């Protein structure tokens, strides 16, 4: 399941921009134009992250933050119109995790959202898997990296799913052929190499820190962080 983000912001244009960027980053986003409806929705089904504007109709951001903190440690990023406001908010010890001052770059907000979500385990997921960055969604046959879906071919997906399920285990080209292709497909070892090469390239783009799929000389491949 992709992570759920509540955007609580009464300026519809800002809310819409945040919505678009966050959806693009792979999140499910719900917009609330006032504090009261956000709190009601939170009580029904809490999100994984709040982007919470300070000045809101009905119930303001301060109150929403305090109410949420009574029952939940869900990450809260406060949006404020004035930089000097941040010092005052910090002094109130609201328990917000992060503060962003308007005007902001939507990219910056997405980066901060990701950073805050990383320490918050997804429902039904262990924290370890989340911090790894690579996340398998078998029900939709796809992989996410930091919440963003990877664009993989069917074969690349099968190869990754096989190796990712058994980290450290070495798979020979013949095994990959047997396990990732239909028996009637005519595929060479060389084709496997080229699929793995493309897969590694895609993983490298999202995880530049190092290869996740390693070559084992003369044998095949293994997945390891
Ligand atoms: Ca506002």
């Amino acid at each position: 399941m992709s992570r759920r983000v509540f955007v609580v912001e009464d300026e519809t244009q800002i809310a819409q921009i945040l919505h678009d960027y966050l959806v693009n980053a792979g999140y499910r986003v719900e917009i609330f134009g006032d504090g009261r409806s956000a709190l009601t929705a939170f009580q029904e089904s809490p999100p994984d992250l709040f982007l919470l504007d300070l000045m809101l109709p009905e119930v303001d951001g301060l109150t929403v933050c305090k109410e949420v903190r009574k029952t939940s440690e869900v990450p809260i990023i406060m949006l404020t119109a004035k930089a000097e406001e941040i010092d005052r908010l910090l002094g109130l010890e609201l328990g917000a995790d992060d503060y962003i001052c308007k005007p902001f770059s939507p990219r910056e907000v997405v980066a901060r959202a990701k950073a805050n979500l990383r320490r918050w385990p997804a429902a039904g997921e262990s924290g370890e898997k989340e911090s790894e960055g690579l996340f398998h969604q078998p029900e939709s046959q796809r992989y996410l990296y930091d919440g963003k879906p990877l664009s993989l071919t069917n074969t690349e997906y099968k190869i990754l799913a096989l190796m990712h399920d058994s980290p450290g285990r070495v798979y020979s080209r013949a095994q990959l052929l047997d396990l990732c292709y239909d028996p009637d497909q005519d595929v060479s070892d060389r084709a496997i190499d080229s699929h793995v090469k493309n897969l590694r390239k895609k993983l490298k783009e999202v995880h530049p820190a190092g290869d996740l799929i390693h070559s084992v000389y003369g044998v095949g491949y293994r997945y390891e962080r």
Side-chain angles (χ1 to χ4, degrees):
M1 283 296 261
S2 56
R3 320 294 299 271
R4 257 168 94 230
V5 179
F6 279 10
V7 172
V8 192
E9 167 64 86
D10 56 321
E11 286 163 81
T12 49
Q13 226 176 336
I14 295 178
Q16 194 56 47
I17 291 171
L18 289 175
H19 170 274
D20 293 349
Y21 271 79
L22 289 163
V23 165
N24 206 23
Y27 302 119
R28 286 183 293 152
V29 180
E30 287 161 57
I31 298 175
F32 302 91
D34 66 89
R36 191 182 306 280
S37 60
L39 273 177
T40 306
F42 162 76
Q43 276 143 11
E44 277 164 14
S45 171
D48 296 296
L49 174 76
F50 270 96
L51 288 179
L52 181 59
D53 187 32
L54 186 61
M55 302 294 282
L56 292 166
E58 303 274 340
V59 176
D60 68 10
L62 285 182
T63 311
V64 172
C65 189
K66 280 188 217 156
E67 280 301 309
V68 168
R69 276 291 172 266
K70 283 182 184 169
T71 57
S72 168
E73 287 302 313
V74 60
I76 299 176
I77 301 177
M78 296 287 289
L79 309 173
T80 76
K82 287 184 235 148
E84 42 292 12
E85 192 85 314
I86 293 177
D87 279 340
R88 186 177 76 85
L89 293 172
L90 284 171
L92 292 176
E93 294 180 349
L94 291 174
D97 296 88
D98 209 345
Y99 297 88
I100 296 177
C101 190
K102 295 177 187 176
F104 47 70
S105 114
R107 275 174 215 282
E108 172 67 12
V109 177
V110 171
R112 306 270 278 269
K114 273 185 191 171
N116 277 282
L117 277 167
R118 215 165 280 144
R119 64 164 189 85
W120 186 249
E125 276 305 314
S126 72
E128 198 197 348
K129 216 171 187 178
E130 182 58 23
S131 66
E132 182 187 36
L134 191 64
F135 175 52
H136 191 193
Q137 271 188 339
E139 66 282 2
S140 54
Q141 297 222 330
R142 63 177 190 169
Y143 271 91
L144 308 178
Y145 197 89
D146 284 352
K148 203 171 173 176
L150 295 180
S151 158
L152 302 176
T153 66
N154 193 27
T155 305
E156 289 162 6
Y157 167 78
K158 282 186 187 168
I159 292 172
L160 180 57
L162 183 69
M163 291 202 280
H164 183 242
D165 274 352
S166 307
R169 180 172 163 190
V170 178
Y171 287 93
S172 68
R173 288 175 181 79
Q175 283 175 315
L176 292 176
L177 256 168
D178 281 344
L179 297 165
C180 300
Y181 288 84
D182 298 325
D184 53 354
Q185 267 179 299
D186 187 16
V187 201
S188 66
D189 285 6
R190 205 176 293 239
I192 290 279
D193 286 339
S194 100
H195 284 301
V196 171
K197 192 177 149 202
N198 291 334
L199 178 58
R200 290 171 98 174
K201 210 170 115 192
K202 289 177 184 178
L203 289 171
K204 192 94 188 177
E205 279 167 17
V206 293
H207 181 86
D211 283 319
L212 293 171
I213 292 174
H214 303 260
S215 300
V216 182
Y217 184 71
V219 185
Y221 299 100
R222 69 182 156 80
Y223 175 93
E224 207 161 63
R225 281 206 268 158

